[in-house]
Amino acid sequence: MTSRITIIGAGPGGYAAALRAARLGAKVSLVERDQIGGTCLHRGCIPSKTMKTAAEIFENLGRAKEFGINCKNSPSLDIRRLMGKKDRVIQTLNHGMRGQLKEQNVTILKGEGFVNKHGLVSVRHGDGLTKEVQWDRLILSTGSEPGGIPSIPYDGERIISSDDILNISEIPDSLIIVGGGVIGCEFASIFSAFGSRVTIVEALSRLLPLSAVDDACSKVLQREMKKRKIAVNLNSTVGKVDIKGERAIVTIIPVISEKNSEKKNLKPVELEIDKILICTGRRSNIAGMGFGNIGLELDSGGWVFVDQHMQTGAEGVYAVGDMLGPEKVMLAHMASAEGLVAADNSMGKKTEIDYSAVPNAIFTIPEVACVGLTEAQACERGLNSRADSILFRTLGKAQAIGEIAGEAKIVSDVETGLIIGVHLIGSHVTDLIAEGALAVKNGITLKELAETIHAHPTIAEVMADVARKALDE
């Protein structure tokens, strides 16, 4: 008998699971209330990277004279045309994804998925009609949504989310970004390049305060943001917000702790700005989907528990992607990998997920990318490790293209020479991190990396250079 697999959520995790399960011979139903591609395609990775490309082009035009190119007029940004470009990219990719699903005979059901009981899902259409779908295995991939601050609720005009800013109709003269994590720093880079006066407010002591990101990358990013006149307020929060017509008065309050007690005399600062962008993480969006009807186990944050096979505590039910929460890895490519594992196991295989070598790509200007252990994590684990760094300014390609800001660091095991972490900041490092992920995943040594011939002149040469340095060559 053909296995009936129903998947709720058609983001990167659900999409990957649907294709894999179909190719393994399952009869697949894919339920999606919005658009195929989920947050990544429509409200995250793809639209923001289209905007980031525009930001880089805009910056490069501004320094054209450095390369002997004379422009008669100063470049200007047509935000409407940029939004049109972004929408066309999304439509193209969405069409391609639908074509792939159709080719594999995946049934796409548009509507709200609701789990009635074990073995039965109902799909509620916008027209009020409901279709019931029977399943032998259920894969959940319902994603997440922008978090918020209860005291500063979104209004879609002055106080906006990361979803709202992707459909903005004009560039704000001034923008406060609450949260100096990945999303906040990416938008700070984009809108600073577009000409906004950007202020970041981060409650912790550094930008990108993620355990996966090496502290050195955070320091370089903050330095480069300062050069771009982005104001960075660390150890700070946003207190009172007063909306006055088309402007907002924002109070920035210092956060005093034992580590920065010398700043206890700092006073709150008021800024008058155009928009407030809240980038304080993501939250679960599983409410009202009937998961309690199958006894799905959740933690206090509403995130779903799974084992190494992506199986939940409910029989025959798997979960992938953002709905697993920050205890896992909330990245689109990780959701896809989890989707493949869930599909394999739903079809009787015994595949386990591996979180040891997940690359992280952060599209700031300059870019940040990392994989494996940081220098601090290696020390915390008591490993006999060392960390070696090379500056991008030593590279011929970096000098030739005028992108000299950056650094490459490799964390390695002293005794074996195994590469256990790679941390990069600089031009094109979100592409370069693939080499680092390959090294960490496959147990590559410093010697093997150093002896791998890298093309010249390329940014990738920095990997061989830092490996040689780690070998004391």
Side-chain angles (χ1 to χ4, degrees):
M1 178 183 286
T2 303
S3 292
R4 298 170 299 181
I5 295 179
T6 295
I7 301 168
I8 301 179
Y15 171 73
L19 291 179
R20 174 62 66 89
R23 286 169 180 151
L24 291 174
K27 180 181 179 183
V28 181
S29 298
L30 180 59
V31 182
E32 173 56 53
R33 66 184 178 187
D34 191 6
Q35 296 288 334
I36 301 297
T39 293
C40 175
L41 177 55
H42 298 275
R43 298 174 298 281
C45 315
I46 301 305
S48 65
K49 265 38 112 190
T50 305
M51 293 175 70
K52 192 246 187 181
T53 300
E56 290 176 319
I57 293 171
F58 203 57
E59 280 200 346
N60 286 334
L61 287 172
R63 62 191 187 100
K65 189 175 290 187
E66 177 186 336
F67 291 87
I69 301 171
N70 295 314
C71 300
K72 292 183 178 180
N73 301 311
S74 297
S76 61
L77 178 69
D78 186 334
I79 188 64
R80 294 184 185 278
R81 292 189 71 177
L82 174 56
M83 291 296 108
K85 168 67 174 177
K86 175 208 70 174
D87 292 341
R88 289 192 298 275
V89 170
I90 292 171
Q91 289 167 8
T92 298
L93 293 172
N94 179 265
H95 180 75
M97 294 176 78
R98 284 183 171 276
Q100 287 284 311
L101 293 167
K102 182 179 180 180
E103 186 177 307
Q104 296 299 322
N105 296 314
V106 174
T107 300
I108 301 173
L109 301 172
K110 185 171 177 60
E112 294 274 355
F114 183 84
V115 183
N116 301 78
K117 61 181 180 179
H118 195 280
L120 186 65
V121 162
S122 62
V123 182
R124 302 167 179 172
H125 301 271
D127 56 11
L129 297 177
T130 299
K131 179 180 178 62
E132 291 190 340
V133 181
Q134 293 183 326
W135 52 269
D136 302 309
R137 298 287 185 272
L138 178 65
I139 300 176
L140 304 175
S141 180
T142 59
S144 64
E145 60 188 9
I149 302 174
S151 60
I152 315 175
Y154 299 121
D155 62 14
E157 291 292 334
R158 298 287 154 246
I159 305 172
I160 59 177
S161 70
S162 55
D163 287 356
D164 297 325
I165 203 164
L166 292 170
N167 293 298
I168 203 164
S169 59
E170 60 181 1
I171 302 301
D173 289 333
S174 55
L175 175 68
I176 280 186
I177 299 176
V178 185
V182 172
I183 299 172
C185 286
E186 287 186 356
F187 280 121
S189 296
I190 291 168
F191 280 88
S192 173
F194 287 163
S196 296
R197 188 173 70 254
V198 178
T199 300
I200 297 176
V201 180
E202 169 54 50
L204 299 179
S205 60
R206 68 177 175 114
L207 294 175
L208 302 179
L210 312 172
S211 60
V213 177
D214 195 90
D215 185 61
C217 291
S218 296
K219 289 178 180 177
V220 174
L221 180 62
Q222 184 173 349
R223 182 192 72 203
E224 292 305 308
M225 283 191 168
K226 184 178 180 180
K227 291 179 182 178
R228 288 175 165 77
K229 295 182 170 52
I230 298 172
V232 178
N233 294 268
L234 302 176
N235 299 300
S236 302
T237 61
V238 168
K240 187 178 179 183
V241 175
D242 290 325
I243 304 298
K244 293 188 176 181
E246 296 185 353
R247 306 276 285 174
I249 308 297
V250 179
T251 303
I252 301 176
I253 303 172
V255 175
I256 308 301
S257 64
E258 292 182 3
K259 292 183 179 180
N260 67 344
S261 57
E262 75 280 359
K263 297 183 179 181
K264 62 183 178 182
N265 295 322
L266 290 178
K267 296 181 179 179
V269 175
E270 285 190 352
L271 292 179
E272 183 175 346
I273 52 87
D274 292 315
K275 292 188 185 296
I276 306 168
L277 173 61
I278 308 295
C279 296
T280 52
R282 310 280 296 179
R283 65 188 177 199
S284 174
N285 64 355
I286 63 174
M289 294 187 183
F291 293 160
N293 294 335
I294 51 174
L296 203 66
E297 187 179 2
L298 309 176
D299 68 13
S300 58
W303 309 108
V304 178
F305 288 109
V306 294
D307 62 14
Q308 69 272 26
H309 304 290
M310 310 315 301
Q311 176 134 13
T312 70
E315 183 181 354
V317 180
Y318 301 81
V320 304
D322 277 11
M323 67 186 304
L324 307 183
E327 288 299 313
K328 301 296 184 183
V329 183
M330 298 173 72
L331 296 171
H333 48 277
M334 194 66 243
S336 295
E338 291 166 342
L340 298 178
V341 171
D344 280 351
N345 293 320
S346 69
M347 291 296 288
K349 294 190 176 186
K350 293 294 181 183
T351 308
E352 294 188 0
I353 195 69
D354 180 9
Y355 292 104
S356 65
V358 181
N360 202 326
I362 304 171
F363 294 85
T364 45
I365 303 176
E367 295 177 346
V368 176
C370 55
V371 66
L373 300 180
T374 65
E375 185 177 357
Q377 287 173 329
C379 290
E380 289 168 3
R381 298 187 185 190
L383 301 179
N384 184 15
S385 62
R386 62 181 285 175
D388 297 270
S389 302
I390 288 285
L391 298 178
F392 270 43
R393 65 176 57 249
T394 65
L395 299 172
K397 178 66 176 290
Q399 293 286 347
I401 65 175
E403 299 283 357
I404 63 173
E407 180 178 336
K409 176 186 285 189
I410 288 181
V411 183
S412 60
D413 182 272
V414 171
E415 295 178 0
T416 64
L418 285 173
I419 296 168
I420 58 177
V422 177
H423 302 273
L424 310 168
I425 179 168
S427 176
H428 304 294
V429 299
T430 56
D431 298 312
L432 184 57
I433 197 59
E435 184 173 358
L438 187 68
V440 174
K441 172 70 174 177
N442 293 283
I444 300 298
T445 64
L446 293 167
K447 186 174 185 296
E448 289 169 327
L449 179 56
E451 291 178 349
T452 299
I453 298 172
H454 288 68
H456 174 79
T458 62
I459 297 296
E461 287 179 280
V462 77
M463 295 293 288
D465 288 349
V466 71
R468 293 190 191 99
K469 182 177 180 182
L471 290 168
D472 297 320
E473 296 179 0

